[in-house]
Amino acid sequence: MQAAPQNLPPQPFNPLSTCGSPATIAAEMFEQMREEIPLDGILIGFLDNATFTTYWLNHYGTASVSAVPCAFVHTGTELSDLMQNSTWNQEGGWIRVLNDPSRTVLGKFFMNHMQSNDFSIIHMRVSYDNSKRGHCIFYTKNQGVYTQSHADAVARYERLIMLLISNSIKDFLLQQLQAIHAPLKEKKSQHTEIYDLVAISPSMQEIVRRLEFVSQLSTPMLLTGETGVGKEMFADFVHIHSPRRDMPFIKINCGAIPPSLLDSELFGHEKGAFTGAVVQKAGCFELANKGTLLLDEMGEMPLEVQVRLLRVLQTGSFMRVGGNKPVHTDTRVIASTNRDLEAMLRDGTLREDLYYRLNVYHIQLPPLRERLEDLPLLVRILMRKIVKKLQISVPPIVQERNMEILAAHPWRGNVRELQNAIEASLINYMMSPSPEGLWIAPNTRRHDSDTPLPAVASEVGGASVDQPVPSFEEGVRALLTGALQQCGGKIHGANGAAVLLGLNESTLWGKLKKYGIRPHLFKE
């Protein structure tokens, strides 16, 4: 900032006030200076030389002038022309009396701001940085009021005025910066609320530490773990904390799409590539360019699709189905599965070269029964979300002994099973409230993989002679839905509904289409 004259008397103002905000400093200064000079208001602002913009930041004054906006911005070519065609830089020193403001550039904009030319002003200006010049205007109504003695009185506050201008500009620039980043911050906070991982247990703390680090890279990742451990949520966490967070995040369930269509879904197709391809379609790799692609249940991917996937991972390019021109993509791939990939390698159902391409950075997610330290907080978080979903105005309190029962449960379905148990228990509580509070009852059904469709047996073959026999369509529908429910919506593979029912995969797809059953609705 410009140096002040050295022969000015010391400031009469209380130095303790310099510790306050700009508003506090200006208010105290306004009240004290009114005892020394005619004063109706103080206007603080700055000129941005780079953009030819005048910013009026703060306005302090009597009630009669308080209606003038406290913050005002003037932009346009008029200011540029005035600056280029005037003696702007030679218009007086650091402090001056302007009994006719219309004779100066700043005075013209002051009058425009106040919508009146009947003012006298004392103008103080300081350099904030190379592109910004701060201004403080002391004004009173009527022209020809101020004298040099009034300017000398203002000059005694020089250090305080410089501090006031500087802090006002700093506050304004900080607010501008916060406004620019507010949407991103809000977006991130929303994601954090949804996807913050409960990590009280040491194993989860280590996983979160690894995820936060690897999220900054573009390295392919492999997430494995039992059904319901939250593999998709962990993939979300990686994307949201990565530099690609503002780019697309595309998810595809490889086990819920027929093999004949999976190629088209991943890589897209050209118009006329096959029957029904009436328009060109972009695939997941094309849609996820510059972003992230999650290959959920990648263990269900047929071998013929694995070959094309390997090429994309190797070269970063592919061709749409029916196309002959390569399409380039910059996509981070995250694969997830609950399958035993080592066993698939031995069985020949997973290409070894693809396995090593995807398994660059592997994270094995622990089941809920191995991270019981996280259980109480998980219950509270899931309770909060489900209470909001069910629109429960007064959430019930979980009974004290309930947590011991929950900790002893095996939780084969992990967090998803816990969430379903909480939701079912809340619904029962809504129908029959208990004065003792909410009791979360885990699902006690058997989890053995060789249990032969208990739900189907009860609906189809388990009816007593006193119960009416279901129709053929009802029986088939019950059989299909029961199989999908037990297999978690999977069609393909050793654990899929096709193998369980002893049907060809295409035959099963045809029956599902006939009865209007959508496998993805049964995904666990």
Side-chain angles (χ1 to χ4, degrees), residues 210-517:
R210 294 168 61 192
L211 287 174
E212 288 177 339
F213 182 84
V214 78
S215 66
Q216 305 305 309
L217 311 175
S218 295
T219 304
M221 290 185 62
L222 177 62
L223 303 176
T224 58
E226 297 179 1
T227 296
V229 294
K231 294 182 287 293
E232 183 176 330
M233 184 185 67
F234 282 86
D236 287 336
F237 183 90
V238 171
H239 175 74
I240 290 165
H241 290 79
S242 76
R244 299 172 181 254
R245 66 177 67 89
D246 296 322
M247 304 308 291
F249 184 25
I250 305 299
K251 307 174 186 179
I252 181 170
N253 187 333
C254 301
I257 300 174
S260 58
L261 297 180
L262 186 56
D263 234 14
S264 173
E265 290 296 322
L266 284 173
F267 309 110
H269 62 251
E270 300 288 352
K271 179 180 179 181
F274 50 83
T275 304
V278 295
V279 295
Q280 184 189 78
K281 176 185 176 181
C284 292
F285 272 99
E286 200 167 347
L287 296 173
N289 187 38
K290 304 296 183 183
T292 307
L293 173 61
L294 171 62
L295 300 175
D296 195 14
E297 303 298 348
M298 57 81 53
E300 312 298 326
M301 187 178 295
L303 283 171
E304 56 270 23
V305 180
Q306 294 181 27
V307 176
R308 297 196 65 181
L309 176 59
L310 177 63
R311 176 171 176 79
V312 179
L313 296 175
Q314 289 175 333
T315 66
S317 63
F318 60 93
M319 286 191 290
R320 302 188 189 100
V321 176
N324 55 13
K325 294 182 179 180
V327 179
H328 297 279
T329 183
D330 173 20
T331 304
R332 186 198 192 151
V333 175
I334 302 176
S336 68
T337 184
N338 60 2
R339 298 281 298 274
D340 184 349
L341 298 183
E342 296 287 346
M344 292 182 64
L345 287 174
R346 293 192 296 268
D347 297 342
T349 54
L350 176 64
R351 291 181 60 96
E352 188 173 6
D353 45 6
L354 176 62
Y355 171 73
Y356 289 116
R357 281 285 177 179
L358 291 173
N359 191 23
V360 177
Y361 195 82
H362 178 206
I363 291 184
Q364 173 73 29
L365 304 176
L368 180 56
R369 59 185 174 277
E370 294 180 6
R371 43 179 291 217
L372 293 178
E373 300 96 327
D374 300 327
L375 184 61
L377 182 56
L378 274 171
V379 170
R380 290 199 294 271
I381 291 176
L382 293 173
M383 275 276 293
R384 184 177 67 238
K385 294 180 179 179
I386 297 170
V387 162
K388 183 178 180 181
K389 172 185 173 182
L390 299 178
Q391 298 181 344
I392 300 176
S393 56
V394 182
I397 303 298
V398 179
Q399 296 185 34
E400 186 175 349
R401 295 185 301 108
N402 197 178
M403 201 58 64
E404 299 177 6
I405 303 299
L406 297 179
H409 188 69
W411 298 114
R412 301 296 182 186
N414 294 288
V415 178
R416 188 179 297 118
E417 182 184 353
L418 174 63
Q419 179 174 335
N420 293 342
I422 294 174
E423 184 166 357
S425 300
L426 280 170
I427 293 173
N428 291 332
Y429 181 87
M430 292 168 67
M431 293 187 294
S432 302
S434 170
E436 298 180 359
L438 176 68
W439 183 266
I440 302 173
N443 191 337
T444 56
R445 72 174 181 86
R446 293 182 61 189
H447 293 271
D448 301 326
S449 58
D450 58 347
T451 303
L453 292 178
V456 178
S458 64
E459 294 182 40
V460 181
S464 68
V465 294
D466 296 329
Q467 295 175 330
V469 178
S471 67
F472 177 79
E473 283 76 13
E474 291 172 342
V476 173
R477 183 184 297 276
L479 188 66
L480 294 174
T481 55
L484 289 171
Q485 185 174 6
Q486 181 164 321
C487 297
K490 294 181 183 177
I491 301 295
H492 318 288
N495 296 325
V499 173
L500 187 62
L501 294 172
L503 296 175
N504 182 278
E505 292 176 359
S506 60
T507 302
L508 178 56
W509 275 108
K511 292 186 179 296
L512 294 174
K513 183 177 181 181
K514 176 181 177 181
Y515 290 97
I517 301 173

Side-chain angles (χ1 to χ4, degrees), residues 162-203:
M162 291 174 66
L163 178 66
L164 177 60
I165 295 174
S166 176
N167 287 350
S168 296
I169 296 175
K170 286 179 181 178
D171 285 357
F172 173 77
L173 296 177
L174 179 60
Q175 291 172 6
Q176 293 293 101
L177 186 63
Q178 291 173 339
I180 292 173
H181 293 285
L184 179 60
K185 182 178 180 181
E186 180 180 357
K187 181 179 178 182
K188 185 174 181 181
S189 67
Q190 291 173 351
H191 287 312
T192 302
E193 180 182 357
I194 297 172
Y195 296 118
D196 256 0
L197 305 179
V198 177
I200 298 175
S201 62
S203 61

